[in-house]
């Protein structure tokens, strides 16, 4: 199925599973047909990389540009100083301005793989930072001109805040201001750049509606909001997490091989849905692949892993990851792209326990978990079952790289430096 410019953005959102809610579907669809619609999604700089949980929003911006509209990625250089309280049990740790700037620099690397910021014309993407208008706000003027449009009663009714208060968990005044600042972002983007649409996860619905209402009150302009579902895997796990932590999008925080493996290990029931959301394969092909069973569904998972990794890291990285996986899993080799732990001779001393190596390699989170893995016959060293939890590793054992395995799907190499 081929998508055409402008008129097909909403069609893509619906057919591929991106749409949860929209403030005015009919009016937004008409605006999309009539001309180029600038639309934004905000990303707070709480880490040096975004993770897979943000990928659905990145793909929405990509599709927006592919169907003839203008994506705006808004970096939260200002709002990160406050912290979004939406559906959190506690307050986010405060970051320094330097930490925020470092995080933004890391996050920017992700977007270049998905969105075109260089080509000229009305669909050229913009990357902005809300510190541009938030850092120099005069507090009293802001309260008088903007704060007066917000009802505390209404703000307390939003589910993202209400759920926190219902659990009798503290919500600081600092955090309470976040939704006002995000609403102000939408107002400023509309005023400065003609932005007509804010998109985000469904947990942002209240913040988005606030921005629409504020812009109507202050500028008397009609703007729109659209949200995507908050995804969980078919077994109920939060999207973007694994046994070893977040699935980061930056290669310097998670290797392309480990990224590829995350998608290759997708549950059978999620394959079709993930193909629609995270690749650009035609809908019919996504449905066909998602309906496969037995060994064939594993082939579909490889296609999913290759397509997603190609978008994130390039076709060469995807091909290398698949080649490494085939060597590791089908030929019992070590591959060239496995996660690697480098040890200096000084680290070894008189030896290091195999338990410590499994922890250092990120295959387990603790020594207790490593012992349980060994007891359950799930641990291997150089493809041989590990039965001795007390085994010590010395320099002679690492004359060649040592392959550690936790189950059938997770592997790492240990090498001795020098």
């Amino acid at each position: 199925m081929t998508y055409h410019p402008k008129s097909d953005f909403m069609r893509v959102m619906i057919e591929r599973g991106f749409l949860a809610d929209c403030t005015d579907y009919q009016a937004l669809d008409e605006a999309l047909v009539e001309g180029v619609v600038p639309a934004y999604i905000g990303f707070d700089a709480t880490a040096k990389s975004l993770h897979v949980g943000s990928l659905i929003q990145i793909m929405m911006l990509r599709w927006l540009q592919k169907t003839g509209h203008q994506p705006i990625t808004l970096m939260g250089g200002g709002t990160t100083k406050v912290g979004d309280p939406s559906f959190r049990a506690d307050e986010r740790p405060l970051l320094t301005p330097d930490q925020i700037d470092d995080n933004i620099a890391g996050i920017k690397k992700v977007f270049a793989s998905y969105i075109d910021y260089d080509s000229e014309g009305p669909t050229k993407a913009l990357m902005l930072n809300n510190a541009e208008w938030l850092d120099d706000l005069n507090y009293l003027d802001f309260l008088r001109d903007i704060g007066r449009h917000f009802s505390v009663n209404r703000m307390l009714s939003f589910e993202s805040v209400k759920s926190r208060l219902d659990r009798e968990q503290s919500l600081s005044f600092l955090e309470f201001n976040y939704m006002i600042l995000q609403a102000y972002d939408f107002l400023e983007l509309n005023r400065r750049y003609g932005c007509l649409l804010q998109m985000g996860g469904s947990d942002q619905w209240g913040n988005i509606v606030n921005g629409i209402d504020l812009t109507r009150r202050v500028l008397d302009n009609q703007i729109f909001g659209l949200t995507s579902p908050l995804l969980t895997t078919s077994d109920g796990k939060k999207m973007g997490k694994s046994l070893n932590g977040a699935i980061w999008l930056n290669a310097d925080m998670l290797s392309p091989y480990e990224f590829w493996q995350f998608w290759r290990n997708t549950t059978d029931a999620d394959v079709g849905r993930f193909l629609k959301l995270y690749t650009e394969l035609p809908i019919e092909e996504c449905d066909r692949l998602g309906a496969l069973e037995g060994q064939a569904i594993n082939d579909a998972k490889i296609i999913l892993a290759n397509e997603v990794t190609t978008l994130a890291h390039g076709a060469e990285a995807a091909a290398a990851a698949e080649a490494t996986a085939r060597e590791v899993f089908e030929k019992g080799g070590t591959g060239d792209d496995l996660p690697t732990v480098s040890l200096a001779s000084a680290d070894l001393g008189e030896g290091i326990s195999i338990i410590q190596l499994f922890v250092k390699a990120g295959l387990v989170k603790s020594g207790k978990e490593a012992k349980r893995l060994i007891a359950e016959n799930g641990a291997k060293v150089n493809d041989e079952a590990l039965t001795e939890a007390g085994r010590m590793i010395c320099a002679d054992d690492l004359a060649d790289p040592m392959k550690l395995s936790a189950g059938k799907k997770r592997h790492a190499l240990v090498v001795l430096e020098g």
Side-chain angles (χ1 to χ4, degrees):
M1 181 175 294
T2 302
Y3 293 110
H4 302 286
K6 294 184 177 63
S7 60
D8 271 350
F9 178 68
M10 292 300 285
R11 182 177 162 203
V12 173
M13 293 297 99
I14 293 169
E15 288 183 345
R16 302 188 80 93
F18 287 100
L19 183 63
D21 288 296
C22 183
T23 53
D24 190 335
Y25 177 92
Q26 187 63 39
L28 174 58
D29 197 40
E30 290 172 2
L32 288 161
V33 172
E34 288 173 5
V36 175
V37 170
Y40 93 97
I41 299 178
F43 300 87
D44 277 346
T46 54
K48 290 186 178 180
S49 171
L50 299 174
H51 61 66
V52 165
S54 297
L55 191 52
I56 188 170
Q57 277 77 49
I58 297 172
M59 290 299 294
M60 290 167 77
L61 290 171
R62 180 177 172 86
W63 278 114
L64 184 86
Q65 190 172 45
K66 285 174 70 70
T67 53
H69 301 282
Q70 183 183 36
I72 299 173
T73 49
L74 182 65
M75 296 290 99
T79 43
T80 303
K81 295 172 184 176
V82 176
D84 185 359
S86 298
F87 296 97
R88 283 186 60 89
D90 52 13
E91 187 171 348
R92 294 181 185 272
L94 295 180
L95 302 177
T96 66
D98 286 344
Q99 287 174 316
I100 292 171
D101 289 343
D102 285 346
N103 289 348
I104 288 175
I107 290 171
K108 283 181 176 179
K109 298 175 186 176
V110 172
F111 289 102
S113 300
Y114 293 90
I115 299 166
D116 181 5
Y117 295 92
D118 298 322
S119 64
E120 295 301 323
T123 66
K124 178 182 179 180
L126 299 177
M127 180 169 287
L128 306 172
N129 187 333
N130 62 15
E132 177 185 338
W133 52 82
L134 294 182
D135 275 3
D136 296 324
L137 282 178
N138 181 292
Y139 186 60
L140 291 178
D141 288 345
F142 184 73
L143 284 180
R144 184 192 62 202
D145 298 337
I146 303 300
R148 65 190 180 90
H149 295 295
F150 288 84
S151 162
V152 172
N153 305 60
R154 186 161 179 261
M155 292 164 74
L156 288 171
S157 71
F158 285 121
E159 188 59 34
S160 58
V161 173
K162 190 171 179 291
S163 62
R164 181 99 156 251
L165 298 178
D166 286 346
R167 295 193 299 268
E168 298 184 355
Q169 290 165 329
S170 174
L171 180 72
S172 72
F173 179 71
L174 180 70
E175 293 175 289
F176 196 60
N177 275 272
Y178 184 92
M179 64 178 68
I180 300 178
L181 295 177
Q182 184 171 331
Y184 186 68
D185 282 346
F186 204 173
L187 168 67
E188 284 296 325
L189 286 169
N190 180 252
R191 177 157 44 200
R192 297 175 183 223
Y193 301 97
C195 184
L196 295 180
L197 172 64
Q198 181 183 358
M199 302 185 291
S202 57
D203 60 332
Q204 296 299 315
W205 180 254
N207 293 335
I208 292 172
V209 170
N210 269 332
I212 293 171
D213 186 55
L214 177 65
T215 304
R216 178 184 59 79
R217 290 172 181 268
V218 175
L219 301 179
D220 196 28
N221 288 343
Q222 183 182 27
I223 55 178
F224 307 96
L226 184 153
T227 61
S228 61
L230 290 182
L231 283 190
T232 58
T233 56
S234 58
D235 54 2
K237 294 178 181 176
K238 189 174 181 180
M239 189 63 184
K241 300 290 185 180
S242 75
L243 289 174
N244 296 324
I247 304 301
W248 301 108
L249 299 180
N250 282 22
D252 57 351
M253 292 184 67
L254 187 79
S255 73
Y257 173 78
E258 291 172 285
F259 184 80
W260 189 94
Q261 276 295 329
F262 171 78
W263 297 100
R264 169 60 182 83
N265 293 335
T266 295
T267 304
D268 293 2
D270 289 325
V271 172
R273 183 168 59 129
F274 287 179
L275 283 165
K276 291 176 185 177
L277 290 170
Y278 301 115
T279 82
E280 295 175 347
L281 293 178
I283 291 286
E284 295 84 355
E285 181 67 358
C286 296
D287 287 334
R288 184 189 73 81
L289 291 169
L292 296 175
E293 299 178 352
Q295 178 55 41
I297 194 65
N298 290 325
D299 296 334
K301 292 177 185 180
I302 290 174
I303 293 173
L304 170 66
N306 283 336
E307 292 289 328
V308 181
T309 305
T310 295
L311 283 175
H313 301 296
E316 188 175 325
E322 182 182 0
T324 296
R326 290 192 185 281
E327 184 175 350
V328 170
F329 300 121
E330 296 177 11
K331 303 176 184 178
T334 58
D336 297 322
D337 201 20
L338 283 181
T340 300
V341 177
S342 296
L343 295 178
S345 297
D347 294 329
L348 286 176
E350 296 182 0
I352 185 172
S353 74
I354 194 66
I355 296 288
Q356 287 178 276
L357 284 186
F358 269 82
V359 175
K360 280 181 176 289
L363 296 175
V364 293
K365 294 181 179 179
S366 66
K368 182 178 180 181
E369 186 178 331
K371 291 176 182 177
R372 184 168 62 249
L373 182 72
I374 295 168
E376 294 173 353
N377 299 315
K380 289 184 179 180
V381 175
N382 292 330
D383 297 317
E384 297 289 334
L386 174 63
T387 57
E388 300 176 42
R391 179 175 170 182
M392 298 297 292
I393 303 300
C394 62
D396 289 345
D397 296 314
L398 296 173
D400 294 314
M402 176 180 285
K403 178 183 173 186
L404 305 180
S405 303
K408 295 179 179 179
K409 297 181 178 180
R410 293 184 294 132
H411 310 270
L413 290 182
V414 181
V415 297
L416 188 63
E417 294 178 344

